[in-house]
Amino acid sequence: SWVPNYGVWKDEWQTVLDRYEAAGIKIDGGNVGNSIDKEWSLTDCYFGGSYDIPAENRMRLDRPYCRVDPKALKQTLNKNFRVVRANHISEAIGVNMYKPAGSLVHDETGTTIKLQPKDDDSPLMTMRAKVVIDTTGHETKLVMKDTRGQYSSPGFQIAYGAIVEMDESNSPDLSQAGPYDKEAMTLFDYRTDHFPTGSSESEGAEKVPTFNYVMPLGGNRIFVEETSLVARPGVSFQECKERLFTRLEFHGIKVTKVTEEEFCYIPMGGALPMRDQRIL
């Protein structure tokens, strides 16, 4: 399955479901259905500790939030689409021009692309498509970036996340995970009160903020993730990890086991794609 934990507003996910249904595809599976693993009716945010906002102040949004079941979603999409386990071998050298020669060719009715199957011993395979959509992101080799004019170098969104089990034997309230309500999803916790006032850690968090993202998964399991929304240069994974576990310890959340980890790296911004390219 796909590794990252994906979250989405319930109403926005419904829009996705409606569009797939209009195409004759039903998104199903997951504990809740519609490839959703968990749903919270409330979403909490904490912005206290700055601008004279008390640290304990909570902003509660009456808007449901969901955790996508990546395994169920992938199974659904694989069921409705042909899946080819292969890599492209092409690299753009100009607008709609690629090397090696003949590896990707556009014509009046579509595109022909050669792919290398995951089994490297297999010969190249040739695929035909009306449109090629490249979802690689910032580090794509199929799309040329327009660097002729002024542009900003990318910032980086960096996050360290983990599914953890907590020791709740001495918890005064099992409906809470530390300060976090288990019936709500915490979208932002930007507070820095877990660092001593005036410390280098506190100053670092003020200069390059990070926030905690909390998904209670049932019982003593929660998904937590410390995220730098965007920074130049990017915050390190280790910095996010250390900030996260310092925060959890401060809030009395005793982690007994880390069952999954995830590391997110997302370049933000940079030069735009050149116009008139056929690949989307």
Side-chain angles (χ1 to χ4, degrees):
S1 65
W2 293 316
V3 175
N5 287 266
Y6 296 102
V8 64
W9 297 110
K10 183 179 180 180
D11 55 347
E12 292 183 356
W13 188 246
Q14 186 59 52
T15 300
V16 173
L17 297 176
D18 292 344
R19 292 191 177 184
Y20 271 95
E21 186 174 354
I25 298 170
K26 180 175 175 54
I27 303 294
D28 52 19
N31 292 327
V32 179
N34 299 326
S35 288
I36 294 298
D37 172 68
K38 183 80 174 176
E39 180 182 321
W40 301 269
S41 59
L42 300 168
T43 304
D44 289 341
C45 301
Y46 294 90
F47 301 107
S50 58
Y51 299 101
D52 297 322
I53 302 173
E56 68 276 6
N57 195 53
R58 178 182 66 192
M59 177 185 292
R60 172 154 281 184
L61 307 177
D62 188 17
R63 188 181 182 188
Y65 200 84
C66 299
R67 178 177 185 246
V68 176
D69 185 325
K71 184 176 181 179
L73 180 60
K74 188 173 184 179
Q75 287 177 341
T76 293
L77 297 179
N78 286 356
K79 185 171 58 179
N80 289 280
F81 298 93
R82 179 186 176 191
V83 177
V84 177
R85 303 187 186 281
N87 296 321
H88 74 79
I89 61 171
S90 307
E91 182 177 350
I93 56 174
V95 175
N96 299 322
M97 298 173 60
Y98 307 89
K99 67 175 185 180
S103 63
L104 197 159
V105 179
H106 300 301
D107 57 47
E108 66 274 15
T109 61
T111 300
T112 301
I113 184 170
K114 292 184 178 179
L115 304 174
Q116 176 63 61
K118 294 289 188 179
D119 179 1
D120 290 336
D121 295 332
S122 300
L124 291 176
M125 58 191 305
T126 300
M127 301 290 292
R128 182 72 183 163
K130 289 184 178 180
V131 178
V132 175
I133 300 174
D134 177 19
T135 62
T136 305
H138 178 79
E139 296 174 355
T140 174
K141 291 186 177 181
L142 296 182
V143 177
M144 295 288 293
K145 301 295 182 65
D146 191 350
T147 59
R148 295 170 297 178
Q150 291 186 345
Y151 67 95
S152 298
S153 60
F156 298 91
Q157 182 174 129
I158 302 294
Y160 167 81
I163 294 179
V164 303
E165 296 179 2
M166 307 172 289
D167 178 1
E168 298 185 303
S169 57
N170 295 318
S171 174
D173 185 355
L174 292 178
S175 69
Q176 298 279 127
Y180 306 115
D181 187 343
K182 290 184 179 180
E183 296 302 314
M185 185 274 170
T186 299
L187 187 62
F188 297 113
D189 183 357
Y190 265 109
R191 295 175 293 184
T192 58
D193 53 340
H194 50 295
F195 293 129
T197 303
S199 65
S200 60
E201 293 89 349
S202 178
E203 291 176 359
E206 290 289 336
K207 184 178 179 180
V208 185
T210 57
F211 64 88
N212 192 18
Y213 175 96
V214 184
M215 288 179 164
L217 302 178
N220 70 332
R221 296 174 66 247
I222 57 173
F223 172 72
V224 286
E225 186 166 66
E226 194 79 15
T227 301
S228 166
L229 193 59
V230 62
R232 294 184 179 92
V235 178
S236 70
F237 290 125
Q238 186 61 33
E239 176 74 16
C240 286
K241 183 175 182 177
E242 290 174 359
R243 289 189 186 187
L244 175 63
F245 284 101
T246 298
R247 187 192 297 273
L248 297 181
E249 182 179 7
F250 175 81
H251 287 310
I253 299 174
K254 184 178 180 181
V255 174
T256 58
K257 186 177 182 181
V258 176
T259 60
E260 289 184 20
E261 290 182 300
E262 74 173 49
F263 301 85
C264 298
Y265 160 85
I266 307 174
M268 310 283 280
L272 295 174
M274 297 183 72
R275 296 183 179 183
D276 301 325
Q277 295 182 92
R278 297 262 308 257
I279 289 184
L280 302 180

